[in-house]
Amino acid sequence: MKWSTGGITKMGDHSSQYRSGSDTTETPESPDCLTRAKHHPANYDTEQDTEKAAQSVSLQDHMDEVVETSPSQSSLTSSYTTVQSKLEETQEQLRQAEAESAKLRLESEKAIRDQKELLQNNQQLLYEIQRQNRIVEAWCKEEKSAQSKYGRLNEAKVRLENDNERLRGVLAKMSKARQPLRNEEYYQRQFDFLNNEIETWAVAQSKKSKPDEFTRDSKDYIISVLKDVGHSCGAESAEYLRTRMLKLYKKRPIRIALIRHILGLYIFDKVLRKYAFGFDDVRSTYLNGLEDQFLQQGSLRGNEC
Amino acid sequence: MLMILELDFSTILTLRQALAKATLADVKAEEAKKECITVFVKVQRALLPATSDDEIQEFVKYLLPEAIALRNDMTVEQAIYRCYFVGSSASFNPETAQIQEGEPMKGKVLLCMFPGLLRKHILRDGDPSGNNVPRVTDVPVVKAFVKLNTAFNAQLLEPSRVSAESTHLTKTCTYCRS
């Protein structure tokens, strides 16, 4: 904006004055009128005045030229208007840009706030994910533990099922066994069989035995075994044989009886006397006592067999 | 026990049988059998020094399982069987003991050679008032096999003097084969 409004107006005023010349209605006292009169050729007195007049003319021409080449007021006004409108337009654009900028700034601030919020949310989510991960890990552990427990329970179940089957078998057997299994002849035969086996063995081995080979150590060992017999017969036998055994062993018929006696007593004490084979004396005595109580109580009712 | 009062004898025997079956299932027979065989072999080594170890082992491993089977059969039977042994110097009772045919049935028991077997029973006897009184009784199934002292020369059965037995002191012990 090179031109100011006041300047243009003044120049316009002068150019119009120069173009109009004498047509203008000026008063003789005005400064312009005095200057023009001074530079008029008729008023030249000297050579110096002439030169001055020529310069004046030249200046006048130049001024005219300037006036001719200068834009007109309307053009200037138009330009001014254009410029003004452009200025306004630019200002408007500037305002719009400022408004846009403010809007963008607001949006940017909002976006920053949103971003912060999102960041917070993100952190919360991260924390939540970590928490969930921990829960999942705990669940995994629990699941493994549960699976292990399930496996153990399954094994126990299979074992119990097998036990159940076995017990069913035992029950079936027991129910079958709840009847007389064998008659008394069977037991008589078995007793005779064992007795005969021992007798045969004693007879056969007594032939081989020589009384001199039977030592006191052997006797002492046998006496110690007889003493350990739980039944009173063992102790009685040990006491009886302690001083007689070597003598009895010398004669074959008595040797046979002695061998049979010792073997029979051993089988009686370790096997036949027990409630069941493998039971110790305490259990056998207890269970035999229980049987006796059964019988005593049963007999009180007055049953007959 | 009070409940048993209300049961008859056959039920008692059935109960006993079930109890015996249950206890038999619990017993650790194999260990006892091993131990029993070991001691039985040692006893026979001592008693029969001239008999080989193999023979003794074979005999013991044959005889003992038979005896054990018999014992277990009796245990699970629906009856109450009891084995008994007659002590030395006991009076001879033909109801519970037997001797070899031809031997005199007098004197005292010298040696019991094989145990006897009896069965527990409840009998009803008449009392003076005419009522039947039940009582537990023993029914002999197999009599114990005994040898009476009269079967041998009395001199043989006298106790030995210490000097007589001491002659064997120097002999080596053969039953343990050591």
Side-chain angles (χ1 to χ4, degrees):
Chain A
M1 298 307 292
K2 192 177 166 182
W3 296 338
S4 68
T5 313
I8 289 168
T9 308
K10 200 176 179 180
M11 278 179 76
D13 290 346
H14 281 296
S15 64
S16 63
Q17 282 175 356
Y18 283 128
R19 275 194 307 267
S20 59
S22 56
D23 297 338
T24 56
T25 55
E26 294 172 346
T27 61
E29 293 86 13
S30 65
D32 289 341
C33 185
L34 287 174
T35 306
R36 204 174 296 124
K38 193 178 178 182
H39 291 291
H40 198 275
N43 297 330
Y44 297 160
D45 297 330
T46 64
E47 191 179 339
Q48 211 174 16
D49 290 337
T50 311
E51 192 179 340
K52 282 181 181 177
Q55 282 178 351
S56 177
V57 169
S58 173
L59 188 60
Q60 186 67 40
D61 291 340
H62 181 69
M63 283 180 70
D64 290 340
E65 190 182 345
V66 167
V67 169
E68 282 175 6
T69 55
S70 296
S72 64
Q73 190 176 2
S74 62
S75 164
L76 283 172
T77 305
S78 169
S79 295
Y80 170 75
T81 308
T82 307
V83 167
Q84 190 74 16
S85 68
K86 279 184 179 176
L87 180 64
E88 285 173 359
E89 191 180 336
T90 304
Q91 283 175 343
E92 183 63 27
Q93 284 177 350
L94 184 63
R95 276 196 299 276
Q96 284 179 359
E98 280 175 352
E100 193 73 20
S101 172
K103 191 180 167 188
L104 284 171
R105 196 163 49 244
L106 285 172
E107 284 180 359
S108 173
E109 284 171 359
K110 188 172 176 290
I112 287 167
R113 280 198 305 276
D114 289 349
Q115 193 180 7
K116 280 180 182 174
E117 197 177 334
L118 281 171
L119 198 64
Q120 281 180 349
N121 287 342
N122 196 16
Q123 281 176 345
Q124 280 180 353
L125 279 172
L126 197 65
Y127 174 76
E128 188 66 20
I129 286 167
Q130 285 173 348
R131 198 173 67 84
Q132 295 287 348
N133 277 342
R134 282 197 297 273
I135 290 169
V136 168
E137 281 175 10
W139 280 353
C140 285
K141 278 182 186 173
E142 279 181 13
E143 191 185 359
K144 277 183 185 174
S145 169
Q147 277 178 349
S148 168
K149 197 176 175 182
Y150 175 75
R152 284 199 304 273
L153 285 172
N154 228 4
E155 284 174 13
K157 180 183 161 243
V158 171
R159 199 169 57 247
L160 286 172
E161 281 176 353
N162 290 338
D163 278 358
N164 194 23
E165 284 300 312
R166 195 172 57 81
L167 285 171
R168 279 174 191 276
V170 170
L171 283 173
K173 258 186 176 176
M174 281 176 71
S175 59
K176 280 179 192 169
R178 282 174 189 168
Q179 56 189 347
L181 299 175
R182 296 173 180 88
N183 55 24
E184 276 187 7
E185 284 75 28
Y186 167 80
Y187 297 105
Q188 287 170 350
R189 279 201 307 276
Q190 285 303 107
F191 260 72
D192 289 343
F193 165 76
L194 288 175
N195 187 19
N196 290 336
E197 288 296 317
I198 290 173
E199 186 183 8
T200 309
W201 170 257
V203 169
Q205 301 310 316
S206 66
K207 276 185 189 173
K208 296 181 187 174
S209 301
K210 293 173 184 172
D212 292 345
E213 290 176 349
F214 186 68
T215 64
R216 186 170 183 143
D217 285 344
S218 303
K219 185 206 83 175
D220 289 344
Y221 177 72
I222 290 167
I223 295 293
S224 71
V225 172
L226 294 180
K227 272 183 181 174
D228 285 342
V229 166
H231 196 266
S232 60
C233 291
E236 285 174 18
S237 179
E239 183 55 33
Y240 182 78
L241 292 174
R242 193 175 57 81
T243 53
R244 295 179 176 86
M245 197 169 177
L246 290 172
K247 198 174 176 182
L248 294 175
Y249 198 86
K250 284 179 180 172
K251 294 289 176 185
R252 190 166 170 244
I254 303 183
R255 189 158 67 237
I256 293 170
L258 189 65
I259 293 168
R260 290 175 70 185
H261 167 73
I262 291 166
L263 300 190
L265 183 57
Y266 185 84
I267 286 179
F268 167 72
D269 181 60
K270 301 294 178 191
V271 184
L272 299 175
R273 186 172 68 88
K274 306 286 186 186
Y275 182 83
F277 177 71
F279 276 21
D280 55 22
D281 278 349
V282 176
R283 287 178 81 181
S284 283
T285 306
Y286 174 77
L287 288 164
N288 283 332
L290 202 63
E291 282 184 350
D292 289 342
Q293 281 192 349
F294 278 12
L295 286 170
Q296 293 287 338
Q297 300 281 341
S299 68
L300 290 175
R301 190 171 179 264
N303 292 302
E304 189 178 4
C305 306
Chain B
M1 279 302 161
L2 289 173
M3 287 171 67
I4 290 172
L5 285 169
E6 304 301 321
L7 303 174
D8 59 17
F9 186 62
S10 62
T11 311
I12 289 170
L13 290 180
T14 308
L15 279 173
R16 192 218 69 85
Q17 191 179 27
L19 178 70
K21 287 284 283 183
T23 52
L24 202 61
D26 186 44
V27 71
K28 293 172 181 174
E30 280 306 309
E31 288 176 23
K33 190 176 170 183
K34 278 182 188 173
E35 191 186 340
C36 192
I37 286 174
T38 305
V39 179
F40 203 28
V41 167
K42 279 186 180 180
V43 167
Q44 294 204 56
R45 273 180 194 161
L47 198 59
L48 307 168
T51 308
S52 71
D53 229 22
D54 289 344
E55 278 182 292
I56 293 172
Q57 291 268 1
E58 191 182 348
F59 175 68
V60 168
K61 286 180 180 174
Y62 163 72
L63 189 76
L64 262 181
E66 294 287 342
I68 291 166
L70 174 62
R71 174 63 261 179
N72 290 341
D73 287 346
M74 287 191 294
T75 301
V76 297
E77 187 55 84
Q78 199 178 72
I80 301 174
Y81 285 113
R82 295 279 168 83
C83 289
Y84 62 94
F85 209 79
V86 182
S88 296
S89 306
S91 300
F92 175 66
N93 180 1
E95 294 293 319
T96 57
Q98 59 180 319
I99 54 172
Q100 199 168 341
E101 283 181 21
E103 287 180 355
M105 288 181 67
K106 59 180 181 181
K108 290 197 171 185
V109 173
L110 176 68
L111 295 169
C112 178
M113 292 186 288
F114 202 75
L117 178 68
L118 58 85
R119 179 168 52 80
K120 292 281 183 184
H121 202 64
I122 296 179
L123 275 182
R124 186 179 290 179
D125 294 336
D127 66 357
S129 61
N131 293 326
N132 286 331
V133 179
R135 64 180 176 86
V136 179
T137 183
D138 297 335
V139 178
V141 179
V142 180
K143 292 176 184 177
F145 213 88
V146 298
K147 189 68 85 177
L148 300 179
N149 55 5
T150 51
F152 302 106
N153 186 346
Q155 262 194 333
L156 276 174
L157 308 179
E158 290 299 312
S160 304
R161 285 180 297 176
V162 176
S163 56
E165 293 199 348
S166 63
T167 54
H168 301 285
L169 281 172
T170 53
K171 304 256 180 188
T172 53
C173 178
T174 52
Y175 64 85
C176 58
R177 301 288 191 256
S178 60

